[in-house]
Amino acid sequence: MDNIDKVFSTPLDEVGDFNFDDKVAEVFPDMIRRSVPGYESIIKYLGVFSRLFVKSDTNVYDLGSSLGAASMSMRRSISAADVKIIAVDNSASMVERSQKIFAAYESPTPVNIIHCNIEDVEITNASMVVLNFTLQFIDKDSRAALLKKIADGLNPGGLLVLSEKIHFANPVTQKLIDDMHLDFKRENGYSELEISQKREALQDILIPETFDEHRERLLSVGFRSADIWYQQYNFASMVAIK
Ligand code: GEK
């Protein structure tokens, strides 16, 4: 049973920037499931993508891996031999917890968990890379360089799965979908106080872009295709193939 997210349930004198600290890591599976529509489906289908794209003797990267849900799903599905999964996160709390989780399971596919900034990690000989709701936390001006590094490190035909909260250029659509997402959070038991305090904490650190902005940038850094394969409200998952 997951620990219940109560991080923003009491009034805070001052709502600081959102932080992936121990309080968040402890309740993370519950928090992301109740906040991100489609999260569990995307995790499941990452396994399907890995079965299709991961080749023997290559590396798979899970960038911004949190507690390792994406790596776990891929590891269960990969049948290719001599594959190494490299999971990277810059939150010490997430890394410590995910190391314990992976130590509890045995698998022929090793998962190497690295505590560092995804902008500093080297990407080589990759057949699949996952950025599952992580790029949105990277400074907007640094996103192209990170995506170019990923494109350069992928082998031809390799896959990037990029899941993001997205923004709609049309304000009417943006308001409609944003309201629907707020209702999704209410239905999942979040109070108005929790919703508004979390929104304030995230407003300067989670910067969504439109699908057109994502697509254009993915094509400009070396991917030959970039499309949405899954979307619920303003949460979309894209596939970009090198
Ligand atoms: C999942 N992918 O369960 N370098 C490394 N890690 C970072 C950086 C950075 N620069 N910035 C943020 N993170 C996961 C969910 S959560 C999404 C990803 C969310 C990490 C951060 O510490 C956190 O663990 C993760 O990216 C984002 O499939 O909470 O909305």
Side-chain angles (χ1 to χ4, degrees):
M1 179 64 184
D2 294 337
N3 292 325
I4 305 294
D5 169 23
K6 294 203 180 298
V7 175
F8 292 101
S9 62
T10 48
L12 301 166
D13 292 339
E14 203 185 313
V15 181
D17 278 352
F18 190 84
N19 209 324
F20 290 98
D21 56 14
D22 215 45
K23 257 192 348 233
V24 167
E26 193 188 344
V27 299
F28 189 72
D30 178 66
M31 173 183 278
I32 197 153
R33 189 172 44 77
R34 287 163 70 208
S35 310
V36 176
Y39 172 78
E40 286 162 308
S41 293
I42 293 170
I43 290 293
K44 175 179 152 203
Y45 283 102
L46 285 172
V48 175
F49 281 119
S50 70
R51 210 175 297 135
L52 295 171
F53 279 87
V54 175
K55 305 274 184 284
S56 298
D57 291 307
T58 65
N59 297 322
V60 173
Y61 293 84
D62 176 8
L63 304 177
S65 47
S66 300
L67 297 182
S71 292
M72 192 65 90
S73 172
M74 293 190 285
R75 186 165 85 158
R76 276 197 214 107
S77 304
I78 292 169
S79 53
D82 299 318
V83 170
K84 200 161 80 187
I85 299 178
I86 297 129
V88 184
D89 206 290
N90 66 355
S91 152
S93 308
M94 292 289 193
V95 166
E96 269 166 38
R97 283 171 192 268
S98 60
Q99 271 161 346
K100 282 188 196 136
I101 295 169
F102 280 101
Y105 296 89
E106 267 200 35
S107 163
T109 306
V111 178
N112 186 4
I113 303 166
I114 302 178
H115 179 206
C116 83
N117 185 338
I118 56 173
E119 293 169 274
D120 298 333
V121 82
E122 205 193 345
I123 312 277
T124 55
N125 185 30
S127 52
M128 181 166 170
V129 176
V130 172
L131 274 168
N132 203 35
F133 301 106
T134 307
L135 188 70
Q136 60 199 17
F137 295 109
I138 302 294
D139 191 64
K140 234 174 143 173
D141 294 337
S142 309
R143 293 179 188 180
L146 172 63
L147 291 168
K148 177 157 190 330
K149 177 176 74 173
I150 293 170
D152 290 348
L154 273 166
N155 297 333
L159 175 73
L160 166 67
V161 181
L162 170 63
S163 311
E164 288 276 288
K165 182 174 190 180
I166 58 165
H167 184 79
F168 296 89
N170 183 316
V172 177
T173 316
Q174 174 58 33
K175 169 134 188 19
L176 169 70
I177 308 272
D178 193 43
D179 285 348
M180 290 171 83
H181 177 230
L182 290 183
D183 274 345
F184 170 89
K185 294 185 85 165
R186 289 181 189 113
E187 275 163 25
N188 283 331
Y190 282 120
S191 67
E192 299 307 314
L193 177 73
E194 286 175 293
I195 291 172
S196 72
Q197 291 195 135
K198 183 160 182 204
R199 181 160 276 221
E200 200 181 329
L202 281 172
Q203 72 183 354
D204 293 330
I205 66 150
L206 192 172
I207 313 293
E209 294 172 287
T210 65
F211 170 61
D212 288 347
E213 287 174 289
H214 281 294
R215 182 163 198 275
E216 229 167 80
R217 188 173 44 215
L218 287 165
L219 297 178
S220 78
V221 299
F223 289 95
R224 69 184 154 91
S225 69
D227 292 288
I228 292 182
W229 69 274
Y230 188 94
Q231 184 171 348
Q232 266 198 49
Y233 308 131
N234 42 350
F235 292 82
S237 188
M238 298 159 250
V239 280
I241 298 174
K242 181 171 171 185

